[in-house]
Amino acid sequence: MACLAGFAERANRVADLVGLAGLVAEMARDLGFAHHALAEHGEPADGCLFLHDYPGRWADAFIARAMHRFDPVRQAAARRVGGFGWRELPRLVTLEPCQRAMMSEACDIGLGEGFTVPLHAPGMRVASCSFVCPPGEPLPRHALPAAECLAYLAFGAAHRLLGVRWSRPRLTARQRQCVALVSQGKTDWEIGVILGLSEETVGKYLDAARMRFGVARRTQLVAAALVAGEIGADPAEWL
């Protein structure tokens, strides 16, 4: 989590979307991916966020042929909460011939297996962040939890730069302590030993924190807490 906390600090200092795109690309490469795309789902004419480093040929074709209207990755992301690999698409959505052709064309251009993180925020467009490997290379499975956190951090940083504001949930002191220790990789039992709480009580604090942020996973909770400023680069400072 330390590298993600460092990314959060740098992203909060970046001055524009171009700088943010560079930071995300750097982090994505460190995790084992060749490309990324952070996008709000909607019509490009509406000013939807589309931050990416996809091959130019693919980005141009995607926009010119309005592929966002039948993109199976976006369809699946609109129905999901947790991240998913593109190999799962046939199980998540019914793929039409044009969608299968689209994915094949993307692979021919240089986009292989991908991992997409759905991004849902109250009162905002559905969005998603995808991380993609070169054709023929498998997903770096060990890096997927970090990629999921990166997606949430990048999404929050992008909307800060765009001037979008929304009410941020606040955690209680105990919830903040538990989340800070989760960011250090501690289990509920270990957190209980450190804070003098039962494992069950720690679970309740973390469940309440997840509800406040509207997320389902521990990785998402840590990312959301970092974006909201509830924990910082040094989790020990919150204990």
Side-chain angles (χ1 to χ4, degrees), residues 60-102:
D60 292 343
F62 190 91
I63 294 171
R65 289 153 52 187
M67 293 186 190
H68 62 281
R69 297 178 179 173
F70 56 89
D71 183 355
V73 173
R74 293 194 180 195
Q75 287 184 9
R79 306 174 186 177
R80 295 267 301 185
V81 174
F84 59 90
W86 290 1
R87 290 185 184 277
E88 300 177 60
L89 284 173
R91 181 175 60 82
L92 301 176
V93 297
T94 301
L95 293 176
E96 301 294 337
C98 65
Q99 294 173 314
R100 294 182 183 277
M102 173 185 168

Side-chain angles (χ1 to χ4, degrees), residues 24 36-39 41 115-119 127-131 147 150-152 154:
V24 178
H36 76 276
L38 172 61
H41 300 183
F115 176 72
T116 294
V117 181
L119 300 166
S128 61
C129 189
S130 296
F131 302 95
L150 176 60
Y152 277 86

Side-chain angles (χ1 to χ4, degrees), residues 27-34 113-115 131-134 137-147:
M27 187 71 179
R29 286 194 296 270
D30 288 346
L31 294 177
F33 298 97
E113 172 65 353
F115 176 72
F131 302 95
V132 191
C133 298
E137 292 191 11
L139 288 178
R141 295 286 173 183
H142 66 282
L144 299 188

Side-chain angles (χ1 to χ4, degrees), residues 167-185:
S167 60
R168 292 179 172 178
R170 307 300 299 181
L171 299 178
T172 66
R174 273 302 194 200
Q175 290 168 353
R176 191 177 300 113
Q177 289 174 328
C178 290
V179 174
L181 288 165
V182 167
S183 75
Q184 294 180 317

Side-chain angles (χ1 to χ4, degrees), residues 185-236:
K186 305 297 184 184
T187 66
D188 289 6
W189 180 83
E190 290 171 327
I191 294 170
V193 171
I194 293 169
L195 299 180
L197 303 171
S198 70
E199 184 175 359
E200 181 182 2
T201 298
V202 171
K204 289 180 179 178
Y205 279 127
L206 291 173
D207 286 344
R210 279 193 288 264
M211 290 182 64
R212 291 197 177 198
F213 281 108
V215 298
R217 300 185 182 188
R218 294 166 76 95
T219 52
Q220 295 171 332
L221 175 58
V222 170
L226 281 165
V227 169
E230 287 293 286
I231 61 173
D234 180 10

